[in-house]
Amino acid sequence: MSSLSPNVLLLEQTNQLKGLFSIIRSKDTHRSDFVFYSDRIIRLLVEKGLEQLPVETHDVQTPLDVTYEGVKFLGKICGVSIVRAGESMEQGLRDCCRSVRIGKILIQRDEETALPKLFYEKLPEDISDRYVFLLDPMLATGGSAILATEVLISRGVKPERIFFLNLLAAPEGIVAYHDKFPNIKIITGGIDPKLDAKKRIEPGVGDFGDRYYSI
Ligand code: URA
């Protein structure tokens, strides 16, 4: 991608982050390390997402009886994972937001049409009042994420309240997603050059769900 749209928030490509990606990208990495280091990247994505949320001023008294001019988070959030790989990102969200509500969307390829098809959704009833972190580790073609986002919007969630978190994205997926939803922020850990002939992100990490859940 020649230049990033303002609605693509790429994590700062520090040596720390490159080190984490080097571990999860390696085909020689065993499952427990893949999970541990993916979880570290997920945590960074969640923190980046939380940074986007509005706050109001909130002063507190410290034990020294001095005022700290702080802030308080505004609004309610929830996570929505695209099953199965997106479920790997739920714990990272729970670690940052106590008692956060989590919904799930299951999308699979329709055998007849080869298009993504919605099989199941379970979302908080008040989702339209919430900021939504949509969770799916790999943004490849964007097909599942687009369908999942259509479900969220059909449930009354405003696009500007949706944040799509993924560890890795392909340019094709970013373009397809933003063609449909230009106002939704994509928060990603890395943008790889392309998809291969099998629609895998290249160089990528391989099949994220298989490696995380080690079926
Ligand atoms: N999903 C994955 O797990 N990996 C890819 O490369 C693309 C989609």
Side-chain angles (χ1 to χ4, degrees):
M1 303 202 96
S2 47
S3 67
L4 283 185
S5 126
N7 282 338
V8 178
L9 306 181
L10 177 64
L11 292 185
E12 195 185 341
Q13 302 294 294
T14 61
N15 283 336
Q16 271 297 319
L17 185 63
K18 283 184 195 161
L20 301 177
F21 269 112
S22 305
I23 295 169
I24 70 164
R25 285 179 187 279
S26 168
K27 66 175 185 174
D28 296 324
T29 296
H30 291 114
R31 177 179 178 254
S32 65
D33 280 337
F34 185 84
V35 169
F36 182 86
Y37 292 101
S38 296
D39 286 349
R40 282 196 53 193
I41 300 173
I42 291 164
R43 183 71 179 249
L44 297 173
L45 292 166
V46 170
E47 296 285 4
K48 186 80 178 171
L50 294 172
E51 270 174 37
Q52 311 307 311
L53 302 182
V55 292
E56 64 182 5
T57 56
H58 178 68
D59 294 352
V60 295
Q61 301 300 309
T62 74
L64 282 65
D65 269 328
V66 175
T67 303
Y68 172 75
E69 294 175 1
V71 297
K72 190 159 72 175
F73 301 113
L74 275 179
K76 297 185 289 182
I77 72 164
C78 73
V80 173
S81 59
I82 302 183
V83 179
R84 165 189 68 158
E87 292 173 302
S88 65
M89 302 174 76
E90 293 177 1
Q91 191 57 44
L93 182 57
R94 291 188 205 282
D95 288 344
C96 296
C97 307
R98 295 177 82 182
S99 321
V100 67
R101 299 287 312 271
I102 307 249
K104 291 182 192 286
I105 292 180
L106 172 63
I107 290 168
Q108 282 177 344
R109 222 168 81 111
D110 186 306
E111 293 304 333
E112 281 171 20
T113 63
L115 295 171
K117 182 175 169 190
L118 176 67
F119 276 84
Y120 170 81
E121 62 174 286
K122 182 152 177 41
L123 302 171
E125 326 69 55
D126 60 350
I127 194 164
S128 59
D129 299 334
R130 293 177 182 266
Y131 290 91
V132 178
F133 284 7
L134 179 64
L135 309 173
D136 194 11
M138 300 283 118
L139 170 54
T141 62
S144 303
I146 288 170
L147 184 49
T149 305
E150 284 168 354
V151 173
L152 297 178
I153 289 174
S154 75
R155 293 285 299 265
V157 185
K158 294 187 190 67
E160 55 278 15
R161 283 177 164 240
I162 300 173
F163 299 90
F164 176 25
L165 275 52
N166 47 76
L167 284 86
L168 271 185
E172 294 91 327
I174 293 175
V175 168
Y177 191 79
H178 271 162
D179 263 0
K180 292 260 183 193
F181 310 111
N183 299 326
I184 296 183
K185 287 197 169 63
I186 297 173
I187 300 177
T188 190
I191 302 174
D192 274 4
K194 61 174 182 149
L195 295 177
D196 73 2
K198 293 182 177 163
K199 309 287 187 203
R200 296 175 302 194
I201 298 176
E202 187 180 307
V205 301
D207 188 305
F208 189 93
D210 283 359
R211 295 192 69 191
Y212 197 95
Y213 292 110
S214 198
I215 47 129

